[in-house]
Amino acid sequence: MSDSIEKVKCLIIGSGPAGYTAAIYAARANMFPVLYQGSQPGGQLTTTNEVENFPGYPEGITGPEMMMELQKQAERFGTDIRDGWITKVDFSGEVHKVWVNNEKEIHCDTVIVSTGASAKYLGLDSEQKYLKLGGGVSACAVCDGFFYRNQEVVIVGAGDSACEEAHYLSKLCKKVTMLVRRDEFRASKIMEARVRKTPNIEILFNTETEEVLGDGQVVTGVKVKNNATGENQIIPATGFFVAIGHKPNTDIFKEYLELDETGYIINVPGSSKTNIEGVFVSGDAADHVYRQAVTAAGTGCMAALDAERYLAAKETEVEV
Ligand code: NDP
């Protein structure tokens, strides 16, 4: 093996709650984890304002602060946290190979994939502006709905996620306006029916967002257009929720790991194991159902324990 190839016992890819929790457990089990942070250190939570639903923070904490705390905790036990982007993997052999920034090659006994998923947004300038300002644009009703109690909100999307989130918001908000770009839902009939029979959800079909309106700080409304009639309308709202799907960050693994039709990694039920021995998955890269920081952290713990047990079993094999 060339001197330039580094060998690590446990490589963790991704720096959200799943990756950091895996790192805390792996470091405490003497696995000397190396964690690559990826392009968005801290993951999706760094785009969230206040996190009030992670147990242990009775007053809440901002997403970026929570990720700093998790990073510090992982470092305290010796995790080697590095900048860098894993650009390629080769899981075809017993040694799992990964490349950082297309250059550095690392050979790993175990790999924990915690690359997460990215919420899709419409891509409008006004949407991105208020998202960055933390002024009322969100892609997670469970995370942020609480901040809009008794207020009026708009949600975009017509799939199961949009229906579930619209229904969740309807229990908190005075009114939810749902923007559906076609004249029908994509969601399952049962989810659609639930939304249709909720009195404070108004569904606007054939309706697309033209602009998220605001006062420069926070959202105040949404300008929409009916794509059948061409008519514009302004809907007053303090929150603009986008529920048009997520994209799991799993492209580099698709040659080796089993993925579902959307790209989520398929894990062995009840564990973090993938179809490749020694490669484990945690967090949103394998979860299109819960997608919460606390569930990601839980599966990060599972992945580190599974990796530790895998290594222990291999060492026993060698001794026998
Ligand atoms: P989907 O891809 O199923 O739906 C995305 C929705 O967003 C579609 O209605 C689509 O419209 C709409 N959309 C996409 N782009 C735009 C845009 N630019 N402007 C306006 N609307 C847009 O994603 P989901 O996240 O809803 O679901 C993903 C998977 O997870 C599905 O398989 C779903 O069944 C599953 N799921 C299951 C749940 C459950 O069973 N409890 C809960 C949540 C998700 P169009 O229809 O016109 O393409």
Side-chain angles (χ1 to χ4, degrees):
M1 192 189 294
S2 131
D3 284 350
S4 61
I5 297 176
E6 186 183 2
K7 191 154 179 7
V8 307
K9 223 175 180 178
C10 177
L11 185 92
I12 300 170
I13 311 175
S15 55
Y20 284 136
T21 306
I24 293 164
Y25 275 77
R28 286 171 53 80
N30 271 352
M31 291 164 73
F32 311 103
V34 172
L35 180 150
Y36 276 91
Q37 289 187 309
S39 64
Q40 190 186 6
Q44 287 183 84
L45 271 189
T46 52
T47 62
T48 299
N49 263 342
E50 199 71 12
V51 180
E52 292 187 328
N53 55 8
F54 199 94
Y57 295 101
E59 306 304 327
I61 183 166
T62 69
E65 266 176 321
M66 189 170 116
M67 299 323 296
M68 289 302 295
E69 302 263 88
L70 279 172
Q71 177 171 342
K72 272 196 252 163
Q73 197 172 350
E75 281 172 331
R76 183 179 148 213
F77 299 112
T79 306
D80 182 350
I81 295 177
R82 302 178 185 172
D83 286 340
W85 179 247
I86 305 299
T87 45
K88 191 173 121 183
V89 301
D90 178 353
F91 294 159
S92 59
E94 187 155 341
V95 172
H96 308 307
K97 300 175 183 172
V98 310
W99 283 264
V100 185
N101 299 332
N102 282 322
E103 285 172 5
K104 185 181 167 58
E105 183 174 344
I106 305 181
H107 289 186
C108 322
D109 293 333
T110 61
V111 176
I112 297 178
V113 177
S114 315
T115 46
S118 307
K120 292 183 192 162
Y121 288 92
L122 299 176
L124 298 170
D125 288 345
S126 54
E127 169 205 58
Q128 291 303 307
K129 173 180 161 185
Y130 287 102
L131 174 69
K132 288 195 185 94
L133 283 171
V137 172
S138 168
C140 180
V142 176
C143 314
D144 298 324
F146 192 71
F147 302 115
Y148 302 94
R149 285 186 314 280
N150 303 319
Q151 298 173 39
E152 297 191 9
V153 298
V154 167
I155 183 164
V156 185
D160 282 335
S161 294
C163 289
E164 200 166 71
E165 303 216 344
H167 191 249
Y168 182 88
L169 290 168
S170 73
K171 288 184 270 170
L172 297 166
C173 304
K174 197 153 70 180
K175 183 176 174 195
V176 179
T177 305
M178 199 169 180
L179 309 182
V180 176
R181 68 177 171 183
R182 290 184 294 137
D183 60 357
E184 60 177 1
F185 278 88
R186 178 178 294 277
S188 53
K189 291 289 166 227
I190 187 162
M191 303 285 259
E192 175 182 344
R194 194 196 289 170
V195 163
R196 282 185 184 273
K197 71 175 190 212
T198 304
N200 62 340
I201 298 180
E202 183 183 5
I203 303 159
L204 301 181
F205 288 100
N206 293 114
T207 303
E208 293 177 37
T209 309
E210 287 211 321
E211 191 182 349
V212 178
L213 306 171
D215 62 5
Q217 294 297 317
V218 294
V219 171
T220 54
V222 183
K223 183 178 174 195
V224 301
K225 183 178 183 175
N226 183 308
N227 57 30
T229 63
E231 266 171 49
N232 282 117
Q233 184 184 343
I234 288 175
I235 305 165
T238 48
F240 181 72
F241 287 85
V242 187
I244 60 172
H246 284 75
K247 184 180 180 328
N249 303 317
T250 56
D251 285 353
I252 55 165
F253 307 109
K254 64 179 175 225
E255 222 179 295
Y256 303 98
L257 299 185
E258 267 174 35
L259 309 179
D260 72 9
E261 67 282 0
T262 316
Y264 288 98
I265 295 170
I266 299 175
N267 58 302
V268 175
S271 85
S272 67
K273 293 177 189 163
T274 68
N275 57 304
I276 302 280
E277 280 207 5
V279 178
F280 304 88
V281 62
S282 61
D284 289 9
D287 174 18
H288 64 81
V289 179
Y290 300 104
R291 297 196 287 239
Q292 299 300 300
V294 69
T295 49
T299 56
C301 159
M302 288 165 68
L305 293 178
D306 286 341
E308 197 267 322
R309 285 168 195 167
Y310 165 81
L311 287 177
K314 279 199 91 161
E315 276 159 26
T316 316
E317 265 171 38
V318 172
E319 282 165 18
V320 171

